[in-house]
Amino acid sequence: MIVGMIFGEVGYSSFNFVVNKNYNLQKGEYVKVNHEVYGWVLAQVTSLRRYNEMYSLSVITGESVPREDASERIIAFAKVIGYLDDRGMLKSPKIPFKPGEKVYKADAELIRRTLKLEKRRGAYLGLLEGHNIPVYLNVNKLVQKHISVLAKTGAGKSYTVGVLVEELLEKKVPVVIIDPHGEYSSLKEPNQNPKELELMGKFKISPKGYENVVEYTPNPGVNPQCDRKLALDITKLSINDFLEMLPGKVSDTQKGILFEALKVVRSYGKFTLKDLIDVIQEHESKGKWNLITNLEMLKDSKIFEGPPVTPADLVKRGQASIINLRGVAPEIQELVVARLSKEIFEDRKLGKIPPLLFLIEEAHNFAPERGFGTKSSSHILRTIASEGRKFGMGLCVVTQRPARIDKSILSQCNTQIILKVTNPNDLRAISQSIEGFTSELEEEIKQLEPGIALIVGDVVEQPIFVNIRVRKSRHGGASVEVVKEPKKKKVEGKSWIWRIFSKI
Ligand SMILES: Nc1ncnc2c1ncn2[C@@H]1O[C@H](COP(=O)(O)OP(=O)(O)O)[C@@H](O)[C@H]1O
Ligand SMILES: [Mg+2]
């Protein structure tokens, strides 16, 4: 279908065209031009303007008379994406387009081939914005090369991540989800939101609840619906792990006591935190008391109580494991993330568990940028970001504060899924961590509508805007959190920290 004609002075990387009167062209739409040398070249409409000769400056000031048939015209500006050469490589034209050349609506096949979109395979995230073309992303590239999902609160991060998890579940890729707000258990239930059900036809999907979703929590009191209590394995901790974990300062003498006591309890084979404390109690040095207080705090958190959850429990083909941290003190949340990510990474390196995606919501809390505090989980997450892909452990970091997350982690993510961002510091952090990120894209991100994501990185040939599909399962985000999150529990969490620091 012809949508317009190129006019004026024309280059090879962009062109202006007059839009046909009967065609309702939209910003973002893909168009094609048959170039005399290169054949079909794909371009994208990046802006539209209205022009009416009747109201041109010279007519208004009386300096000229308009033609009799003068009327309103739409003028479009299109940026050239390129053409495919004989080997299927995307190339940019070097010879300008001809004025007078016809501009056509790009067909799905050309768009798909030029943008290297998978056909029917991969993770189905939604439709190419402005087109009815499904976007499937290569699952291997997505998972192994790390993903960041960035946007302000309420822009649709968790919703999009929910869509991604649904797709990974269908492809049998194991996912472990660090879920500080308890938003993901709703993956088990089919979507029944009437507005979203109406949209399912457009996306060609139907409601579905996922059975193979197992929910763990360190705090079953606050989250009684969870399938299993999360307990960490104390026997796997090295002396350094203990030192990193203890909330108070530990002197050299105390380190010595701890070292000796660990040797004793290790000789038992299996041991508990209580066994360790009992052995330290026997020690003669006065220094032991501070150590005991520290360990008692850890014991109070009950995080080492019960049968430990192993990487093999969490990482199984076709299973999503949710670590629900709702109502858990921040220090314990960090400890959980640090321990689980470390144990999973170790077992993955040894090939004991299948390749997986380790997904972290509110990731800035677990790996903050320098100057925003240090967390026990930062170090291991940085290691996974730089080495995980070699061993088949993909990371997906989700955050509303790109400026506050560790920059080395952000820049190791090869796929960015970006929804609306307006904070200038966050925009700067995004543009600094992504190669070739243009100021035009920055402008676009500020104006994105909810549910529309910009996808950038290795998984796509060119940055694309995707209308994220509705979820098959229920979204447990935002509204649920506000209604269900009992404020009291949060305070309880805080008071735990307060207890530690007030006692030491
Ligand atoms: N692709 C989408 N389709 C339909 N609704 C969406 C979509 N993305 C987000 N929403 C709506 O926006 C709300 C906020 O999204 P959410 O993902 O919870 O935001 P956040 O970025 O804070 O995680 C959701 O409750 C949902 O109603
Ligand atoms: Mg969210």
Side-chain angles (χ1 to χ4, degrees):
M1 179 193 262
I2 299 174
V3 298
M5 184 186 281
I6 298 183
F7 73 93
E9 231 172 71
V10 193
Y12 43 79
S13 60
S14 62
F15 53 82
N16 285 302
F17 65 99
V18 188
V19 181
N20 278 359
K21 278 190 176 156
N22 52 5
Y23 190 77
N24 185 17
L25 187 74
Q26 311 248 329
K27 177 172 173 258
E29 231 172 280
Y30 290 94
V31 292
K32 63 178 183 180
V33 177
N34 199 355
H35 193 285
E36 53 185 344
V37 177
Y38 310 108
W40 290 112
V41 179
L42 188 69
Q44 189 176 24
V45 176
T46 57
S47 71
L48 291 162
R49 280 159 295 150
R50 276 172 196 242
Y51 176 73
N52 194 335
E53 198 190 320
M54 287 289 286
Y55 303 101
S56 68
L57 187 64
S58 57
V59 170
I60 291 172
T61 54
E63 286 159 38
S64 69
V65 182
R67 284 179 301 132
E68 262 178 29
D69 62 346
S71 64
E72 192 171 274
R73 303 305 305 239
I74 304 263
I75 295 176
F77 178 77
K79 273 198 80 170
V80 173
I81 290 172
Y83 66 96
L84 294 175
D85 70 5
D86 304 342
R87 290 175 302 153
M89 307 280 279
L90 183 64
K91 289 278 172 66
S92 304
K94 301 271 185 306
I95 301 169
F97 294 87
K98 259 187 172 169
E101 202 71 75
K102 292 185 192 80
V103 180
Y104 298 81
K105 186 176 169 63
D107 55 291
E109 195 48 38
L110 183 76
I111 297 175
R112 230 187 246 129
R113 278 195 294 122
T114 315
L115 299 178
K116 305 247 173 4
L117 297 177
E118 306 250 338
K119 202 174 174 184
R120 298 208 136 301
R121 277 174 49 227
Y124 170 42
L125 291 199
L127 299 174
L128 197 63
E129 172 62 349
H131 292 260
N132 198 12
I133 301 174
V135 175
Y136 295 91
L137 300 179
N138 182 303
V139 174
N140 279 329
K141 272 193 191 165
L142 259 183
V143 172
Q144 301 212 345
K145 294 188 156 191
H146 309 317
I147 309 164
S148 62
V149 181
L150 314 169
K152 65 194 283 181
T153 305
K157 292 182 299 298
S158 307
Y159 197 100
T160 305
V161 167
V163 169
L164 178 66
V165 174
E166 289 174 1
E167 291 294 314
L168 295 180
L169 274 170
E170 292 189 8
K171 305 278 178 303
K172 303 264 182 277
V173 177
V175 193
V176 175
I177 306 169
I178 303 297
D179 180 12
H181 301 302
E183 295 174 279
Y184 287 90
S185 62
S186 59
L187 277 163
K188 295 176 188 173
E189 304 159 36
N191 193 348
Q192 288 180 328
N193 180 320
K195 271 194 198 150
E196 293 176 24
L197 288 177
E198 266 177 35
L199 291 169
M200 288 198 176
K202 173 176 145 192
F203 291 105
K204 297 198 171 70
I205 56 163
S206 35
K208 176 176 176 180
Y210 292 81
E211 280 175 12
N212 215 347
V213 173
V214 187
E215 198 178 4
Y216 297 81
T217 183
N219 194 344
V222 179
N223 306 298
Q225 83 291 352
C226 287
D227 302 293
R228 207 180 139 183
K229 174 176 185 300
L230 181 85
L232 298 176
D233 191 349
I234 191 135
T235 63
K236 282 196 180 152
L237 295 178
S238 66
I239 176 104
N240 280 335
D241 292 333
F242 268 104
L243 295 174
E244 256 180 35
M245 206 171 60
L246 293 176
K249 273 203 169 146
V250 180
S251 70
D252 283 346
T253 329
Q254 289 159 356
K255 275 183 208 168
I257 301 173
L258 183 62
F259 187 73
E260 272 177 40
L262 268 175
K263 257 207 313 216
V264 176
V265 289
R266 284 228 170 86
S267 69
Y268 304 169
K270 274 191 176 175
F271 67 91
T272 62
L273 192 52
K274 184 175 178 302
D275 295 334
L276 183 68
I277 295 173
D278 287 347
V279 171
I280 297 173
Q281 292 272 17
E282 301 292 306
H283 208 279
E284 282 155 12
S285 155
K286 274 190 191 149
K288 69 181 178 187
W289 294 115
N290 178 32
L291 198 55
I292 290 172
T293 315
N294 267 295
L295 290 168
E296 288 284 357
M297 298 296 166
L298 216 50
K299 193 163 156 281
D300 280 355
S301 76
K302 299 192 170 67
I303 191 67
F304 292 104
E305 233 161 69
V309 170
T310 65
D313 293 329
L314 297 174
V315 185
K316 285 185 187 158
R317 265 179 69 76
Q319 176 178 306
S321 297
I322 300 169
I323 312 298
N324 184 338
L325 298 175
R326 206 163 67 104
V328 176
E331 245 87 39
I332 296 301
Q333 295 199 13
E334 289 152 31
L335 178 63
V336 167
V337 172
R339 292 305 310 159
L340 292 184
S341 53
K342 195 167 183 174
E343 286 183 20
I344 290 173
F345 188 47
E346 292 304 320
D347 278 14
R348 183 56 219 138
K349 278 203 270 191
L350 297 172
K352 287 185 180 172
I353 48 172
L356 74 144
L357 184 71
F358 192 77
L359 199 154
I360 311 174
E361 272 271 1
E362 310 282 357
H364 54 281
N365 288 337
F366 301 104
E369 172 63 343
R370 264 174 227 115
F372 292 99
T374 48
K375 299 289 160 77
S376 52
S377 40
S378 287
H379 181 70
I380 177 68
L381 293 180
R382 229 177 275 139
T383 308
I384 297 171
S386 63
E387 293 177 27
R389 84 189 57 145
K390 273 193 295 204
F391 300 104
M393 178 164 177
L395 207 56
C396 175
V397 292
V398 185
T399 178
Q400 69 265 30
R401 293 312 317 270
R404 298 219 172 162
I405 189 171
D406 189 297
K407 287 294 153 311
S408 63
I409 293 182
L410 204 56
S411 58
Q412 289 286 347
C413 294
N414 280 313
T415 303
Q416 286 81 23
I417 301 179
I418 307 168
L419 297 110
K420 186 174 181 137
V421 178
T422 47
N423 180 306
N425 291 332
D426 292 330
L427 283 166
R428 198 172 319 123
I430 292 174
S431 68
Q432 283 169 357
S433 67
I434 303 173
E435 237 180 78
F437 198 81
T438 60
S439 54
E440 286 152 18
L441 284 179
E442 199 172 311
E443 273 313 303
E444 299 275 354
I445 296 176
K446 285 195 226 169
Q447 288 158 28
L448 283 176
E449 286 164 41
I452 310 280
L454 169 67
I455 301 185
V456 196
D458 282 6
V459 78
V460 284
E461 184 73 31
Q462 287 279 314
I464 53 172
F465 291 92
V466 178
N467 190 353
I468 300 294
R469 70 162 170 80
V470 284
R471 282 185 53 169
K472 297 181 187 174
S473 59
R474 186 171 76 78
H475 174 51
S479 52
V480 172
E481 199 184 304
V482 173
V483 178
K484 282 194 185 163
E485 180 111 71
K487 279 217 161 98
K488 254 168 76 193
K489 299 294 176 192
K490 268 196 164 170
V491 175
E492 212 172 77
K494 268 195 185 138
S495 69
W496 187 90
I497 305 284
W498 186 83
R499 279 208 318 271
I500 292 180
F501 291 107
S502 58
K503 277 193 191 176
I504 292 165

